[in-house]
Amino acid sequence: MPDDAAFTPVDNLARVRARIAAAASAGSRDPGSVTLVAVSKTHGADRVAALIGAGQRVFGENRVQEAEAKFPALKAMHADLELHLIGPLQTNKVRDAVGLFDVIESVDRPKLAAELAKEMARQNRRPACFVQVNTGEEPQKAGVLPAEADAFIRTCIDTHGLPVVGVMCIPPQDEEPALHFALLRKIAERNGLARVSMGMSADYETAIRFGATHVRVGTALFGDRSKG
Ligand SMILES: *Cc1c(COP(=O)(O)O)cnc(C)c1O
């Protein structure tokens, strides 16, 4: 059952932004050093538009096709929107992804890196890339293993010339995320990458304490996804 009366984008955004600022300040960080990526998957373009109206400009989607249905029209109206792909990218969707997204956070295998490089050259468009790291080494989850991260990052940059700017992780559901956040931060630092995408609705303040520059927040902004 839709409950649009319960969707209060201005309040939700203000609340999340205040908590981001407080978490940043608590770690002696500039609140401006943390980018809020509003994860709009499953929510309609009307909700995205409401959040844009409240001042949000950076959005995340986990499926290329779903983003293609929502964002071209919104981007045409708001030239300053920044759209992040945060879900797994199949090689047959690379062309569409390079055309639509401004940031691709889920680069995680050599074949995908090669396809992205080819398509970026073809389209003359270079979305910034994050390498996704499977910090929990979960078999079902996307991302390179931590032990392979350094070599893969070098391959992306040196072999394929990809504009890799950071790393991203999704910690296991049932584990304390702090260890994963600390590990991801370390991988970023030793590879000279400035951006670290980690933290979701349940743990973005912890992620900020551990150095997140990008937090991906869906539920706390848009409400529950279960009603579709
Ligand atoms: C859905 C999703 C999020 C947002 O999760 P919430 O718990 O709703 O904030 C963040 N990152 C990724 C990769 C996601 O798929």
Side-chain angles (χ1 to χ4, degrees):
M1 195 184 83
D3 64 338
D4 278 347
F7 176 52
T8 52
V10 175
D11 293 349
N12 293 357
L13 188 59
R15 191 178 315 113
V16 171
R17 281 190 176 159
R19 288 175 59 172
I20 288 173
S25 300
S28 303
R29 296 181 57 196
D30 174 3
S33 68
V34 181
T35 298
L36 171 61
V37 180
V39 177
S40 49
K41 66 187 184 197
T42 77
H43 298 292
D46 52 337
R47 287 199 167 193
V48 178
L51 218 60
I52 293 171
Q56 179 64 21
R57 288 296 178 271
V58 184
F59 291 88
E61 286 281 341
N62 70 333
R63 289 206 172 94
V64 176
Q65 249 171 323
E66 185 182 341
E68 279 182 318
K70 271 188 258 182
F71 275 89
L74 293 165
K75 282 185 133 195
M77 282 187 289
H78 305 275
D80 55 347
L81 285 196
E82 183 180 296
L83 185 59
H84 291 227
L85 178 62
I86 60 170
L89 177 54
Q90 304 307 316
T91 46
N92 64 358
K93 293 274 167 44
V94 164
R95 180 159 296 184
D96 294 343
V98 167
L100 178 63
F101 290 90
D102 304 292
V103 179
I104 295 174
E105 296 203 20
S106 48
V107 182
D108 69 349
R109 57 199 192 278
K111 186 162 188 281
L112 176 60
E115 285 296 319
L116 281 167
K118 206 165 79 185
E119 207 45 51
M120 286 185 195
R122 202 186 71 87
Q123 297 187 31
N124 196 22
R125 239 184 89 79
R126 288 175 66 74
C129 294
F130 287 61
V131 165
Q132 183 172 353
V133 183
N134 185 358
T135 58
E137 308 192 19
E138 297 171 279
Q140 81 283 8
K141 201 168 268 180
V144 289
L145 294 174
E148 292 162 6
D150 296 4
F152 180 65
I153 290 166
R154 294 267 52 97
T155 299
C156 287
I157 296 171
D158 298 341
T159 306
H160 300 296
L162 289 182
V164 177
V165 299
V167 286
M168 177 271 233
C169 78
I170 309 167
Q173 290 247 311
D174 51 356
E175 283 183 32
E176 166 57 47
L179 289 173
H180 298 273
F181 295 156
L183 172 60
L184 191 69
R185 164 86 179 275
K186 218 164 89 182
I187 291 170
E189 278 178 350
R190 70 178 183 234
N191 285 283
L193 299 174
R195 303 188 192 168
V196 187
S197 174
M198 57 191 189
M200 320 202 309
S201 289
D203 54 20
Y204 64 91
E205 289 154 299
T206 304
I208 290 167
R209 274 206 298 284
F210 281 86
T213 64
H214 291 68
V215 292
R216 308 178 308 266
V217 178
T219 308
L221 291 171
F222 288 100
D224 201 348
R225 279 186 294 274
S226 61
K227 34 179 189 22

